Amino acid sequence: MAEAASPHLSLPSGLLELCALLGAPRDSLRGLEQVAQKKGVKHLSALDPEVLSIFMPPFISKEDSQMAGANCGTLGKTWRRSLRKKREKPRPEQWKGLPGPARVPEPEDVAVLGGVDLLALPQLCFPGGVCVATEPKEDCVHFLVLTDVCGNRTYGVVAQYYRPLHDEYCFYNGKTHWERPGCFVPFAVCVVSRFPYYNSLKDCLSCLLAHLKLCKDFEVDNHIKDFAAKLSLIPSPPPGPLHLVFNMKSLQIVFPARADPESPILDLDLHLPLLCFRPEKVLQILTCILTEQRIVFFSSDWALLTLVAECFMAYLYPLQWQHPFVPILSDQMLDFVMAPTSFLMGCHLDHFEEVSKEADGLVLINIDHGSITYSKSTDDNVDIPDVPLLAAQMFIQRVQSLQLHHELHAAHLLSSTDLKEGRAHRRSWQQKLNCQIQQTTLQLLVSIFRDVKNHLNYEHRVFNSEEFLKTRAPGDHRFYKQVLDTYMFHSFLKARLNRRMDAFAQMDLDTQSEEDRINGMLLSPRRPTVEKIASRKSSHLHITHRRMVVSMPNLQDIAMPELAPRNSSLRLTDTTGCRGSSSVLNVTPKSPYTFKIPEIHFPLESRYVQEYYADFVSMLSKAMGFLAPDNSLLLARYFYLRGLVHLMQGQLLSALLDFQNLYKTDIRIFPADLVKRTVESMSAPERAQAQRAPELMRLISEILDKPHEASKLDDHVKKFELPKKHMQLGDFMKRVQESGIVKDASTIHRLFEALTVGQEKQIDPETFKDFYNCWKETEAEAQEVSLPWLVMEHLDKNECVYKLSSSVKTNLGVGKIAMTQKRLFLLTEGRPGYMEISTFRNIEEVRSTTTAFLLRRIPTLKIRVASKKEVFEANLKTECDLWHLMVKEMWAGKKLADDHKDPHYVQQALTNVLLMDAVVGTLQSPGAIYAASKLSYFDKMRNEMPMTLPKTTLETLKHKINPSAGEAFPQAVDVLLYTPGVSRRHQGCRRRHHPLSQAMSAASQSTWPFTHGAHASGGQRSCV
């Protein structure tokens, strides 16, 4: 016999929140048949609908539960399963179809039940009114999105059907053949769920309606109650590849799981908008949503309003719409479109002209015609910018290559004689197409917002929007300026700063170039590599405007077509010349696993429910026994479901054992809140029994004894702003770190000393502004460096030019001295050429002297190289002292890096060199060079720092990893984790990451999430 679950434990409900039968009140139907027969009209006037019956869990009476020894009322619902909702206060009466005593009336009407507004529900279930007809009409379905006052959404699927009306006392007819009925009355069955199972619940209601049409008046409530009870006992599948299958007599219903805990449930056909709109129009609609316009969809089909709106929401995931979302407005709700805030709503096409004339500043989207227009506005137009050109072009090209019609896909196949087989084939095709569309829209978002991460300061949660805009193409500024001010983008920034590994982050990681991956591991200021400069020179899309670069997606597998000039509006571009390219990644989703839910027997009594749960557990245990030992992915989902069913049975200890196994198998789907509530609801004997098991004791300790780990993440986001008052060292350090210039505290301390040489130890706002602008201007100038092909042939592909001198005379000719992280070379003038000066490793001496020229002495830099007899000389004039400091610092950094097998020294030396340059540019005074020398750290350290590594270690050590790289202060290593290189498919090719690169990537993070099921107990660990 099942244990009694604690009445305080609120368990997750099944798929059903409530089920309602709606229609016209019985009083309003009196005499309608006689009126229709006398007047001979085809359509009668609309009636006001109301809720006729409501069915919601629990569906077992308390008395039955106590007799079975299990408290199945732990779902936390106290309302009876069926009630009549009337406008007046109900009178005491015996309710039909329910065991137990008569319902005691409430003192007043129930306005909200299960989070659903019962006063608004009838209007939404009959958005066009209850229209009694003289001829039968086809059954239809539409979909609802219901939002409560807290912003929580529930989802409704409404099926409408017509029944003949013969007299005022009998409006259900059990006959299958009607003999000239006078009129037909519409009814609606609405299923409300916390999960957006649009297609699955549509299939369920289709099965229900087939039975309702054949039943009599007194049987309707019982049929709907049994239907609702079935849905309430079906759990939502856990995130992952396991879908639940349930037989609803006529059809086999599949309830798909969400892909991962962060993703939404997807149970709709994502290609619907692509059938209704051209790709250019889809982009315009996405732009309207991204810029948070006031949007109204129109269609003559109520079902399309919700489905198309939800598809656009799925296209933009992980960005989420933060404003009112009401995809269906009834005729009585049209005044909602007058709201001044951003919203997304839907209306019937009959109201298009009315809404267009009465409301200002609306974006009107006609689904039936595939058009976008605007209502009257004070500016005569709504300011809708264009999507960035390159991202738009790639999106259009990919959409045009999609196969959107199942008939074309299945043209070569024989007709299926098995309904189950045919539906499975159609579902498989739809799943693959949905996956391709998701990849296409996700690539669009990544190409638009990929570079946002380069302007984030994670420690201080700062986004530098101004610097981000400077890296966008001039024609895209209007788009980004509008998007960056929206709530959607603000929420997106929070997720980035929280380092959420959602679909966007995963796509960004999977499609980033090798250069971006390396830059992400290095701490030196970002500069374009030789490889990137070469790609610019070969591209017709390079914009030579100073400080501007085109934001290009990483689409190396696509041959870029010749693009038309940018216009004020996006027009269709002929891409026939590039049809042969691989426009869409060949994504073949893995076939999901399915688990068939056991049958539910009626009448719905406690013993039958317990038998259902027992069968459920037995089938799960049997399925787990057949699993391969290495199939932990599926095993975790079975543990999740079995633990959930054990909780429904009241078997708390068994449930905790399953959740403990789940905790060890896949922590990503571990329901921590549910387990915590379960432990807290246990009685003292149950808690003692659980703690006698060592594994359960550890689980309880993890869940209850560490409340600090469940603290809410910091979700604030700041925009970077220049200071407005004088700063001491602490404030200056914070500002520099927020700006993203440098993070290391000791380096900032030296910078502070450099900027305050000879004055009071505080920095005024003007000095900081000059320093910041000088740094950013140097960054921008580096982006515009263009090297001849002949020069690039002599450089490594990952080398960057960090500093260029003015044109000077040298013993190798006239030209500009260039500094990379590896070498110095001369860019000769006249006929562009390359003259090697030296690598930093081969330098033997650096001196700053003067050379006589006529009556003057010109400052000269001399560099002696180990492999050359001739000393390099350059008449750098006023730049000589600065170059002397910079070359010596880089030389010292390279020597220390070689001595200690630690490339971090070179990266830090580069930062010191660029800070010297910015300090000299900021101060522009005779003491500027002395101030810059405060940053010459490695040059001073080289002779002071003894060799700390033993000879044997030096001979064995290949590469030393600095655990403090990327941190403001030194960090200790608590865990050292070595993993082999992992092969990963990257746009059609396989790329293997070396273990060392993985370790370097890990070193750049203060905490590293274990993604393969590993778990370290105890506190947070910094690991390398």
Side-chain angles (χ1 to χ4, degrees), residues 490-561:
H490 187 75
S491 178
F492 173 77
L493 282 181
K494 291 180 181 179
R496 299 317 104 203
L497 289 169
N498 292 336
R499 300 183 186 273
R500 182 180 299 167
M501 185 51 67
D502 52 21
F504 180 94
Q506 191 63 54
M507 172 71 76
D508 185 18
L509 182 65
D510 291 342
T511 59
Q512 69 180 354
S513 65
E514 191 71 12
E515 177 192 359
D516 292 335
R517 187 181 64 82
I518 293 174
N519 285 341
M521 295 187 295
L522 301 179
L523 301 176
S524 58
R526 288 180 292 271
R527 297 293 189 272
T529 62
V530 169
E531 183 180 24
K532 190 167 186 176
I533 293 174
S535 67
R536 286 179 182 175
K537 295 178 73 68
S538 62
S539 172
H540 299 290
L541 300 172
H542 176 53
I543 297 177
T544 58
H545 189 277
R546 184 176 182 268
R547 304 184 67 175
M548 300 295 178
V549 293
V550 176
S551 175
M552 293 186 62
N554 181 33
L555 306 170
Q556 299 168 352
D557 59 326
I558 295 178
M560 288 295 297

Side-chain angles (χ1 to χ4, degrees), residues 655-684:
L656 286 180
L657 284 172
D658 280 330
F659 288 136
Q660 166 64 20
N661 289 324
L662 171 62
Y663 190 70
K664 296 186 296 184
T665 308
D666 192 345
I667 195 174
R668 293 173 298 175
I669 63 171
F670 179 73
D673 291 339
L674 177 61
V675 174
K676 183 178 180 180
R677 295 200 307 269
T678 302
V679 173
E680 291 174 342
S681 68
M682 296 174 71
S683 62

Side-chain angles (χ1 to χ4, degrees), residues 356-388:
S356 178
K357 292 179 181 178
E358 296 298 328
D360 296 342
L362 300 183
V363 179
L364 310 177
I365 302 173
N366 190 326
I367 296 175
D368 295 0
H369 298 163
S371 63
I372 304 173
T373 56
Y374 308 105
S375 65
K376 68 175 186 176
S377 174
T378 54
D379 299 329
D380 297 327
N381 196 8
V382 180
D383 185 22
I384 306 298
D386 294 336
V387 172

